[in-house]
Amino acid sequence: MADKPTTVKITIDGQELEVPPGTLVIRAAEQLGTIVPRFCDHRLLAPLGACRQCLVEVAGQRKPLTACTTTVTDGMEVKTQVTSEVARAGQEGNLELLLINHPLDCPMCDKGGECPLQDQTLAHGPGETRFVETKRHYQKPIKISETVLLDRERCVLCARCTRFSSEIAGDPFIELFERGALEQVAIYEDEPYESHYSGNVVQICPVGALTSPSYRFQARPFDLSSADGVCNHCAAGCNLRIDARRGMVTRQLARDNDDVNEAWNCDRGRYGFAYAQSPNRVLIPHLSEDGKLRTASWSEALRRAADGIRAAKGKGVGVLVGGHLTDQDAYALQKLARVALGTNNVDARSWSEDEEGAAAAASVAGRGPEDGMPTYRDLEAARAVVVVDLDPHEESPILWLRLRKAAMRRGVPVVAVGSRPGRLAEFATVVATRPGGQAEALGRLGRGDGDAGKLLTEGDGEVIVLAGWRGGATGGLAAAARLAAALGGRFAWVPRRAGDRGALDAGARPGLLPGGRPVGDAAARGELAEAWGAELPDGPGLDGPAMVAAAAAGELGVLVLAGVDLHRDHGPRELAAQALERAFVIAVDHEVNDTTSQADVLLPGVVHAETEGTFTDWEGRVQATHRAVPVGGAAQEIWDLAAQLAARLGTDLGFAGPGLAAAELERFRKRPPGAAAVPEPAPPAVPEPAPPAVPEPAPPVHGAPTGRVAAGEDGGESLSTPPSSGAGEPENDGLELVTYPLLLDAASMLARAADLNRETPGAFVELHPDDAGRLGLADGASAEVDFGEERTARLPVRVAPTVAPGCAFVPANQPDLALGALLGPSPALRVKVTAVEEAAA
Amino acid sequence: MMPSEILKGLSVTFRSMFRKRNTVQYPEEKRPTSPRFHGRHQLNRYPDGLERCIGCELCAYACPADAIYVQGADNTPEARYSVGERYAAIYQINYNRCIFCGLCIEACPTRALTMTNEYELSSPTRQGLVYDKPDLLAAVPAGAKPPPHTDATDGPPAIARYGPQASVSQESVEPVWALLREQESRQADRELPADEGVAK
Ligand code: SF4
Ligand code: SF4
Ligand code: SF4
Ligand code: SF4
Ligand code: FES
């Protein structure tokens, strides 16, 4: 340590500077405010030196060097274009060369006005062209995916896009082909460029060679008004720049935040904004009259809602909080339930959770990075990361990127436990388990069994355990918290939806008040009762699924649905329909759908780009999102609606002005000091395998329920007996259903995102090769999936080793099959998959 | 005051009485403007009827009065309005705002936007002063077909038909081009999907 210098001295344009060794000259110059022109250089991509634009003069070197690939050495003397004629001439010459084959169709190029090539030519290029010959022409544009168009004429061959694809996202589908004047970016012959991250290459392309169809010819930079937003599509918490023109969002870009999304986001977050203009958008209040909705004024609608509540309140009221609301909305809704409606029936979950799982999730409530929650950065420094019941590539894409970075660049071992780790399998050690087997598998890991266990128990540093929301039903969540405790590591709960974590913190749970204070704790209740000036109900509340069931059984008089589509989120369809039928339903939503069209009162709420508020990501980081466009029609903020409804019921929630709900939430969001009130996941810190919380589905068909550990590329290694093949097994007695929504699905927030909708796969059933072989199903075949109770679907088969043996994965919400509406949330089902003979169709 | 001074003053009056009059009876009688008078804008066409405007919004950017609204859109092989990939689906000039400075004309890269000498711009309503694309477009030249054109019947627009001659030394580069074309077609056959958008 001592003999290694921590900084080196260099001189740039005569100014002395101390920087850490290994710094690139281009970065060092930035520190002095000198921007050396560049195309290929990107701070998050490996240096390449492809474009030769960043030439600088270095004393003692015969030729100018590229600043983006040259690291500083002690005593180096660098002269940039500011003081060196050689550097200036080199840069100018390079720009002239780049422009030789550049079409200069700036007037019709989407990049025009924010183009590094334009800007740098103006700043550093020659004033006139000497080129008089014919330029190279290519067909333009070429569609390389639904979300990316390529104009090869404009490409400056900087390889940013190809490096992003291979280094960051690991989708090396886009590549440079040919050489010399013919060199061009292209895609491989029969592999479409399908990536959840393709929008990023559009954003980092330094010219208009890569553009997105959804923004194509929509606006110019000077048309746009921008607001800083936070993505509302998942709990990864990506920072966005929302660009709007004439009151409509035209595009969303990833905004740099090295703590969270670095400079990236996913395509769903980038392109999922057009639903605000959906023809189903509701912009005025509606009332149901004779079974039909009719428009109404705000005062009439609110009065009807209040009357309905008064009339039916005796039977009980339930408040379902959607997963995409801001923290303030969730806070206001739970306060509405507790203060104005006098009930703890408030929940943001659409899935059921065992008690231990709920307690594990509750243990993170009210805690953020400053309270010791693990962060994105911590993942890169961890000894190992365990990911339980989560497919981050589909459910939290930026988390997947960070895990990939941790694994590939920092060598952090990642262990994926669950039934379908998806693309985690590319770099993680997979411990495949059937639903319900997670707890046992995690117990083994905690004891250091197998290679994966050794990764966790040996070495320095801390282990971070990330448990997905689905673990609440499989026992994985509680077991993950136990594992973290046993290893002295840290635990985080990774929900799927952007509002889930904030709703937990805000107290949208039947058993939790804001800040994770248990409802059962009289002191906590007293604290809030005093602040809110109201008696708080102490009886236990119903959770989401229980509320729907109670409403369907006629035991709940009123349902308040705030951004909840009962059919999709709380199916099966018959149950949802019955609940809608029997209860008095007040829906707050931005669209008319199967659920809201059945409401008694439909109140229009704002959409993401119209709201001010905060979202809390899985780390517990609270980030503000700002209004980018004016509120549509007569829509209102949802926290405001809660307050107005309460006022009609004669209760003042105290949210008279903007900011008051936010301020009050900030006061109670944090977990109170003295963690006595915190329910620890029980039993605390038991390294022994606890019995799985969910009763193990009876017959262990293929040996032990815990399957294989496939160690990355190099084959597999057995944790327990691998699924035995054949020998006395019943032929086809069913597989265990694994289901959750994919990133691109039939979500209402992807309405009108035409490019994404075209890219959204239809429903399919995914099987492990062993099972597929046993059932005689090949990839691409067609199969009949029997969910029991006469619910069947005919689906194409995919065969992939990333689904655990003995399991069948069917996505939960694809355009052609809304499984949630068919089966209800998180069903623990055994399904039968049988091949169907394809008639020539 | 001396009478001579009064006469001196009145002499101006008398002289003016016999000067040629400049006043015209305006609505009945009109004077030609100077040739470069800044009047109503016009969106020009190519001789074949295609619009010169490519919807680039540069005129809107240049406008100090924020009087121009352009919304670009895609030409398709089935419906082609202008030469390149882009055309103006919406083009409006708001004469409530325009100050006739002509900066938009200077900004236009295709010479699509010019100004006529027409100065009779008045309307009983504000809305009437917002001129839409049909109000601004030049007449379709005799014998030309009004857009949209289709590439199938009208042929894809070749650069040579519109711009300054594509090349000044076409012959010298022809062998190179033959090679490039050949390689490109191989490339296209091999790995690139069929053209989804617009031919060059
Ligand atoms: S397409 Fe853009 S990012 Fe990719 S190499 Fe060309 S200029 Fe660079
Ligand atoms: S990863 Fe999640 S937060 Fe980020 S852009 Fe995608 S959906 Fe939004
Ligand atoms: S003449 Fe001047 S004010 Fe009028 S539209 Fe053109 S730029 Fe704008
Ligand atoms: S008139 Fe000219 S400057 Fe204006 S949008 Fe059309 S081409 Fe562009
Ligand atoms: S920026 Fe240095 S070579 Fe491209």
Side-chain angles (χ1 to χ4, degrees), chain B residues 43 52-60 68 70 88 91 104 107-113:
Chain B
L43 284 171
R52 293 186 81 106
C53 173
I54 53 168
C56 70
E57 298 192 39
L58 291 183
C59 48
I68 305 185
V70 186
Y91 192 102
C104 47
C108 181
T110 60
R111 211 83 186 104
L113 193 64

Side-chain angles (χ1 to χ4, degrees), chain A residues 265-496:
Chain A
N265 71 352
C266 79
D267 286 358
R268 177 170 172 146
R270 186 177 293 261
Y271 300 119
F273 55 78
Y275 65 97
Q277 274 79 45
S278 155
N280 292 336
R281 175 89 195 267
V282 339
L283 296 169
I284 7 180
H286 284 74
L287 295 176
S288 122
E289 212 167 71
D290 310 326
K292 276 211 214 93
L293 287 180
R294 68 154 173 91
T295 58
S297 69
W298 268 111
S299 48
E300 189 188 4
L302 286 168
R303 194 173 343 111
R304 169 85 81 90
D307 289 347
I309 291 175
R310 273 194 217 97
K313 198 176 163 187
K315 276 166 85 185
V317 185
V319 179
L320 292 173
V321 179
H324 298 285
L325 308 185
T326 63
D327 303 347
Q328 288 69 26
D329 295 340
Y331 179 79
L333 286 163
Q334 64 84 30
K335 193 172 174 187
L336 169 76
R338 296 194 162 112
V339 175
L341 305 173
T343 175
N344 278 319
N345 292 344
V346 54
D347 201 359
R349 288 169 301 181
S350 58
W351 60 95
S352 43
E353 230 166 33
D354 56 57
E355 222 168 272
E356 273 186 279
S363 72
V364 304
R367 291 171 51 209
E370 51 303 330
D371 314 297
M373 283 293 292
T375 63
Y376 281 105
R377 280 188 198 272
D378 294 344
L379 297 178
E380 289 181 36
R383 157 152 51 103
V385 180
V386 187
V387 181
V388 184
D389 269 333
L390 184 70
D391 173 0
H393 185 251
E394 298 294 334
E395 301 190 278
S396 196
I398 289 302
L399 177 59
W400 185 83
L401 278 193
R402 203 50 98 95
L403 286 170
R404 185 175 186 277
K405 181 178 177 191
M408 313 283 272
R409 294 219 200 152
R410 310 265 184 267
V412 176
V414 176
V415 179
V417 182
S419 311
R420 189 179 187 256
R423 281 191 64 190
L424 265 187
E426 287 172 19
F427 51 83
T429 307
V430 174
V431 179
T433 68
R434 299 222 207 137
Q438 285 86 336
E440 197 198 325
L442 288 166
R444 283 164 200 274
L445 288 178
R447 277 177 279 130
D449 284 1
D451 272 3
K454 287 202 191 77
L455 288 175
L456 302 184
T457 45
E458 288 162 15
D460 307 325
E462 66 170 350
V463 175
I464 295 176
V465 184
L466 305 175
W469 59 284
R470 286 181 275 128
T474 60
L477 193 51
R482 281 199 300 274
L483 177 70
L487 297 173
R490 285 188 286 165
F491 166 78
W493 176 62
V494 185
R496 160 87 191 212

Side-chain angles (χ1 to χ4, degrees), chain A residues 636-806:
Chain A
Q636 301 208 38
E637 297 265 17
I638 290 160
W639 59 262
D640 200 358
L641 286 180
Q644 292 177 38
L645 195 53
R648 296 271 166 172
L649 293 165
T651 312
D652 180 10
L653 292 191
F655 303 154
L660 288 180
E664 201 180 299
L665 170 58
E666 285 330 298
R667 204 171 132 206
F668 297 115
R669 176 199 286 277
K670 283 285 162 229
R671 180 175 290 274
V678 179
E680 273 303 322
V686 176
E688 281 307 301
V694 164
E696 195 87 23
V701 195
H702 310 294
T706 304
R708 289 197 288 206
V709 180
E713 317 282 81
D714 30 71
E717 175 256 352
S718 285
L719 238 200
S720 64
T721 356
S724 60
S725 47
E729 271 175 38
E731 242 311 279
N732 179 10
D733 74 321
L735 300 166
E736 277 169 59
L737 178 66
V738 177
T739 178
Y740 54 88
L742 298 178
L743 186 72
L744 300 183
D745 63 0
S748 71
M749 292 199 315
L750 292 180
R752 290 193 83 243
D755 312 332
L756 291 184
N757 296 345
R758 275 194 293 275
E759 217 169 68
T760 305
F764 56 87
V765 55
E766 190 175 278
L767 304 172
H768 189 269
D770 294 353
D771 296 317
R774 195 166 50 81
L775 297 169
L777 287 163
D779 201 72
S782 185
E784 183 90 4
V785 184
D786 182 356
F787 299 100
E789 298 175 21
E790 292 177 17
R791 295 163 304 188
T792 60
R794 180 169 297 192
L795 298 172
V797 174
R798 289 193 188 179
V799 178
T802 52
V803 61

Side-chain angles (χ1 to χ4, degrees), chain B residues 28-40:
Chain B
E28 292 83 26
E29 201 183 320
K30 288 173 192 175
R31 280 267 182 95
T33 61
S34 64
R36 293 170 64 179
F37 177 82
H38 284 184
R40 175 180 68 78

Side-chain angles (χ1 to χ4, degrees), chain A residues 837-841:
Chain A
E837 288 307 322
E838 269 299 84

Side-chain angles (χ1 to χ4, degrees), chain A residues 2-348:
Chain A
D3 43 356
K4 249 200 175 168
T6 52
T7 56
V8 293
K9 265 208 182 68
I10 59 164
T11 316
I12 298 179
D13 295 331
Q15 295 191 57
E16 281 211 356
L17 182 67
E18 280 195 30
V19 292
T23 307
L24 295 169
V25 171
I26 200 165
R27 297 278 103 75
E30 279 170 9
Q31 291 185 14
L32 291 177
T34 302
I35 304 298
V36 180
R38 79 285 303 265
F39 294 106
C40 66
D41 171 73
H42 188 286
R43 69 190 172 87
L44 297 171
L45 301 175
L48 182 67
C51 72
R52 320 310 291 171
Q53 185 52 49
C54 59
L55 296 176
V56 293
E57 197 182 346
V58 176
Q61 301 290 333
R62 280 184 302 126
K63 293 186 200 164
L65 299 182
T66 48
C68 73
T69 55
T70 309
T71 48
V72 295
T73 53
D74 205 20
M76 188 184 240
E77 273 178 50
V78 180
K79 285 167 139 192
T80 69
Q81 72 276 8
V82 177
T83 53
S84 157
E85 181 52 29
V86 174
R88 200 202 55 75
Q91 293 172 4
E92 183 176 307
N94 196 62
L95 273 166
E96 187 174 18
L97 192 71
L98 282 179
L99 292 178
I100 280 183
N101 261 331
H102 197 84
L104 294 179
D105 54 355
C106 309
M108 33 183 142
C109 174
D110 272 336
K111 201 81 174 187
E114 54 183 7
C115 174
L117 181 58
Q118 278 185 330
D119 295 349
Q120 294 183 135
T121 302
L122 200 63
H124 305 284
E128 299 264 333
T129 178
R130 290 179 287 167
F131 187 78
V132 290
E133 288 79 14
T134 315
K135 297 211 178 205
R136 182 185 60 179
H137 285 296
Y138 287 124
Q139 214 180 49
K140 64 201 265 175
I142 288 179
K143 187 165 151 186
I144 59 176
S145 82
E146 293 296 347
T147 48
V148 183
L149 299 174
L150 167 65
D151 183 324
R152 289 167 292 169
E153 292 177 358
R154 294 182 189 143
C155 173
V156 294
L157 301 172
C158 70
R160 275 190 182 185
C161 54
T162 59
R163 278 179 297 154
F164 174 84
S165 298
S166 60
E167 287 172 25
I168 306 287
D171 315 302
F173 297 144
I174 179 168
E175 267 300 347
L176 286 167
F177 288 88
E178 304 287 351
R179 283 292 169 268
L182 288 172
E183 188 169 4
Q184 53 182 274
V185 167
I187 48 176
Y188 287 111
E189 204 162 346
D190 27 55
E191 279 187 273
Y193 179 57
E194 261 179 20
S195 165
H196 286 347
Y197 307 97
S198 67
N200 294 301
V201 300
V202 174
Q203 187 171 344
I204 61 174
C205 178
V207 292
L210 297 174
T211 53
S212 63
S214 70
Y215 179 65
R216 187 170 158 86
F217 303 161
Q218 287 307 299
R220 290 278 170 209
F222 57 84
D223 294 330
L224 301 172
S225 58
S226 305
D228 286 352
V230 172
C231 181
N232 63 329
H233 282 274
C234 89
C238 292
N239 291 211
L240 294 178
R241 183 179 121 191
I242 309 174
D243 283 347
R245 180 186 191 193
R246 296 171 65 83
M248 275 177 3
V249 177
T250 51
R251 66 171 175 185
Q252 295 188 141
L253 301 175
R255 183 157 55 89
D256 287 7
N257 183 343
D258 284 358
D259 287 333
V260 183
N261 54 320
E262 300 196 297
W264 323 122
N265 71 352
C266 79
D267 286 358
R268 177 170 172 146
R270 186 177 293 261
Y271 300 119
F273 55 78
Y275 65 97
Q277 274 79 45
S278 155
N280 292 336
R281 175 89 195 267
V282 339
L283 296 169
I284 7 180
H286 284 74
L287 295 176
S288 122
E289 212 167 71
D290 310 326
K292 276 211 214 93
L293 287 180
R294 68 154 173 91
T295 58
S297 69
W298 268 111
S299 48
E300 189 188 4
L302 286 168
R303 194 173 343 111
R304 169 85 81 90
D307 289 347
I309 291 175
R310 273 194 217 97
K313 198 176 163 187
K315 276 166 85 185
V317 185
V319 179
L320 292 173
V321 179
H324 298 285
L325 308 185
T326 63
D327 303 347
Q328 288 69 26
D329 295 340
Y331 179 79
L333 286 163
Q334 64 84 30
K335 193 172 174 187
L336 169 76
R338 296 194 162 112
V339 175
L341 305 173
T343 175
N344 278 319
N345 292 344
V346 54
D347 201 359

Side-chain angles (χ1 to χ4, degrees), chain B residues 38-39 41 59-60 62-68 93-95 97-105 113 115:
Chain B
H38 284 184
H41 299 74
C59 48
C63 179
D66 202 3
I68 305 185
I93 297 184
N94 182 343
Y95 286 107
R97 304 194 68 131
C98 176
I99 55 168
F100 299 95
C101 62
L103 291 180
C104 47
I105 306 305
L113 193 64
M115 277 167 144

